[in-house]
Amino acid sequence: MTTNQPDLSVFETLESEVRSYCRGWPTVFERAQGSHLHDEDGRSYLDFFSGAGSLNYGHNNPALKRALVDYLEGDGITHSLDMATTTKRAFLRAFQNLVLSPRALPYKVMFPGPAGTTAVEAALKLVRKVKGREAVVSFTNAFHGMTLGALAVTGNALKRAGAGVPLVHGTPMPFDRYLDGRTPDFLWFERLIEDQGSGLDKPAAVIVETVQGEGGVHVARSPWLRDLAGLCHRHDMLLIVDDIQMGCGRTGAFFSFEEAGITPDVVTLSKSISGYGLPMSLCLFRPELDVWEPGEHNGTFRGSNPAFVTATAALHTYWTDDGMEKQTRLRGEQVEQALHAIRDEHPQLGAEVRGRGLVWGLAFADTSRAAAVARRAFELGLLVETSGPRDEVVKLLPALTVAPQELDEGLRILARSVRETG
């Protein structure tokens, strides 16, 4: 293994100070395959980050890569805005037949642009147009994106401050267990809606993540989500589920809300919908909500055909049956057991294990510990990020295709990293 210092000079002198992940992983990556990244000096890193959840099927997945290479070598169309193409047709048919129809989901499909925040902006615009109201309720520790509309329903103070302008028409409510069970669920929310003197403008919609990834891996209980859906129905509000990071199988089922037995009015997808890390997002909504005028919401890069190709390949490879869902739940149990063992080994840390499927977090009472653990993990060859309002959570997002032995290896490195940062 080489000990050469990586040449980061061009990044440090030319690239903006806004860069973040590279600061915690000070090396220059060159290639990747499956659950491993390799730097230019040949060192291998086990990837429990997965492109912030954009690589559910691993790096350069062979089935997806083959479909993409064949398409490009055949001079397939790359850019098409919202024109009809054979690749878009193939994706829509696969998505209908393999995802929507088996789950009896009635959604229309909108391609709002390449990013998750673009899908959120489209969802917010749509619900306001449908209901003729401006207010949208979000939840404590939510994260929905970095554009202004999405920031207005995001909880993180640092990210909100970056807007530079007032963030309006968004009202936060307590997420599940935010008040530690001291107040009945939605008591405050429903009282505000019903009281004409509360000062809360009647919301057009509520936007929620079933698992708050960036917010610290907070998992909403199924009864809480069902009660939220019922509250929205009673008070004529639309329910938006932001499934950008937790969809495409991350929690087990294709959609993270399936376990709760609810059908949101609007769903946003991005990250792993392309399957290959290519930019792509979807906004799904009930047909009666499709009140857009042609061109009312558009974007130059809403028709990325290479992404349609890999997305279709991913659906046919992994979602023709329930095999992926079952495997993810088994791998999740493997992670959960290991994290509980780490917690029990260090009771003085007051650590908390959170998660579902293959998204997990180890939250530390000492808010500096998670960053130290992540740094040591990198030194030992494991990539993990931190999350939560104070970066107090070590967050694990291994690929859904990770092998059991790779999972064991990464969890052993994590346990060693906690041990060696005491």
Side-chain angles (χ1 to χ4, degrees):
M1 183 186 301
T2 182
T3 58
N4 294 338
Q5 291 297 309
D7 181 7
L8 299 169
S9 58
V10 68
F11 308 105
E12 293 168 350
T13 59
L14 192 59
E15 192 178 359
S16 166
E17 293 298 316
V18 78
R19 66 194 188 282
S20 60
Y21 291 115
C22 59
R23 297 178 187 274
W25 302 327
T27 192
V28 181
F29 294 105
E30 185 174 52
R31 60 188 180 86
Q33 174 59 51
S35 289
H36 287 87
L37 279 161
H38 307 273
D39 68 17
E40 62 182 349
D41 292 322
R43 187 177 183 196
S44 176
Y45 297 83
L46 190 53
D47 184 6
F48 278 18
F49 174 63
S50 299
S54 296
L55 296 162
N56 280 3
Y57 313 110
H59 294 271
N60 286 303
N61 183 287
L64 281 56
K65 179 169 66 176
R66 184 72 266 156
L68 178 60
V69 169
D70 288 348
Y71 181 73
L72 295 175
E73 287 185 340
D75 289 334
I77 295 169
T78 296
H79 180 269
S80 62
L81 291 101
D82 69 354
M83 294 182 287
T85 64
T86 55
T87 53
K88 183 194 283 190
R89 180 173 60 198
F91 169 74
L92 285 169
R93 285 176 173 169
F95 194 67
Q96 173 72 26
N97 294 335
L98 300 178
V99 177
L100 297 182
S101 291
R103 294 162 179 81
L105 294 172
Y107 299 133
K108 297 286 289 292
V109 180
M110 176 183 179
F111 301 100
T117 195
T118 319
V120 171
E121 295 288 349
L124 296 175
K125 285 173 64 174
L126 180 63
V127 297
R128 287 169 171 144
K129 180 179 173 69
V130 168
K131 291 301 182 184
R133 303 192 291 267
E134 296 176 348
V136 173
V137 164
S138 58
F139 291 94
T140 49
N141 289 313
F143 179 78
H144 295 290
M146 298 298 286
T147 49
L148 292 182
L151 274 179
V153 290
T154 286
N156 187 283
L158 175 66
K159 292 178 172 60
R160 289 177 62 88
V165 297
L167 296 172
V168 296
H169 308 310
T171 302
M173 292 290 168
F175 191 71
D176 190 15
R177 289 175 285 202
Y178 183 77
L179 298 174
D180 300 321
R182 290 173 291 178
T183 302
D185 295 336
F186 307 114
L187 174 66
W188 173 243
F189 188 0
E190 195 147 26
R191 186 70 57 83
L192 289 177
I193 295 173
E194 293 172 346
D195 184 0
Q196 296 297 309
S198 70
L200 175 68
D201 294 331
K202 185 171 183 178
V206 175
I207 185 168
V208 68
E209 303 154 277
T210 66
V211 181
Q212 295 182 326
E214 297 303 306
V217 195
H218 296 288
V219 181
R221 295 165 298 151
S222 290
W224 187 86
L225 290 168
R226 287 192 289 270
D227 288 347
L228 175 60
L231 184 149
C232 289
H233 180 74
R234 287 195 304 276
H235 293 283
D236 188 34
M237 300 180 296
L238 298 175
L239 177 60
I240 307 168
V241 167
D242 180 338
D243 233 4
I244 288 166
Q245 189 168 79
M246 299 304 154
C248 303
R250 175 55 58 181
T251 65
F254 188 89
F255 294 105
S256 70
F257 55 81
E258 291 182 51
E259 185 176 298
I262 62 173
T263 302
D265 300 292
V266 182
V267 180
T268 58
L269 284 176
S270 186
K271 292 194 182 288
S272 276
I273 187 60
S274 80
Y276 202 75
L278 298 177
M280 178 179 175
S281 73
L282 305 179
C283 186
L284 314 175
F285 39 81
R286 296 181 184 273
E288 62 269 24
L289 305 181
D290 194 8
V291 297
W292 293 114
E293 296 291 335
E296 189 175 4
H297 185 95
N298 56 25
T300 303
F301 296 104
R302 64 192 185 278
S304 177
N305 290 274
F308 294 151
V309 169
T310 55
T312 304
L315 294 178
H316 283 297
T317 303
Y318 294 106
W319 295 101
T320 58
D321 56 29
D322 61 356
M324 174 58 75
E325 179 176 349
K326 290 179 178 178
Q327 176 177 294
T328 297
R329 295 189 190 281
L330 284 173
R331 301 285 192 272
E333 292 171 4
Q334 186 178 346
V335 176
E336 183 178 16
Q337 291 172 6
L339 292 183
H340 278 110
I342 294 172
R343 181 200 63 188
D344 295 344
E345 182 184 347
H346 306 276
Q348 75 281 5
L349 296 179
E352 180 185 349
V353 176
R354 305 169 183 163
R356 196 176 133 209
L358 270 175
V359 50
W360 288 91
L362 190 61
F364 293 95
D366 176 359
T367 57
S368 66
R369 189 61 175 268
V373 170
R375 282 194 300 271
R376 184 59 180 145
F378 170 76
E379 294 168 357
L380 296 172
L382 174 69
L383 303 183
V384 291
E385 68 169 328
T386 60
S387 71
R390 297 173 301 280
D391 285 325
E392 74 278 15
V393 180
V394 174
K395 179 181 173 188
L396 309 181
L397 288 171
L400 307 186
T401 52
V402 66
Q405 59 270 27
E406 292 173 324
L407 209 48
D408 277 338
E409 178 189 354
L411 292 166
R412 285 196 301 270
I413 294 174
L414 180 64
R416 180 180 169 186
S417 300
V418 174
R419 208 173 293 126
E420 295 182 357
T421 52

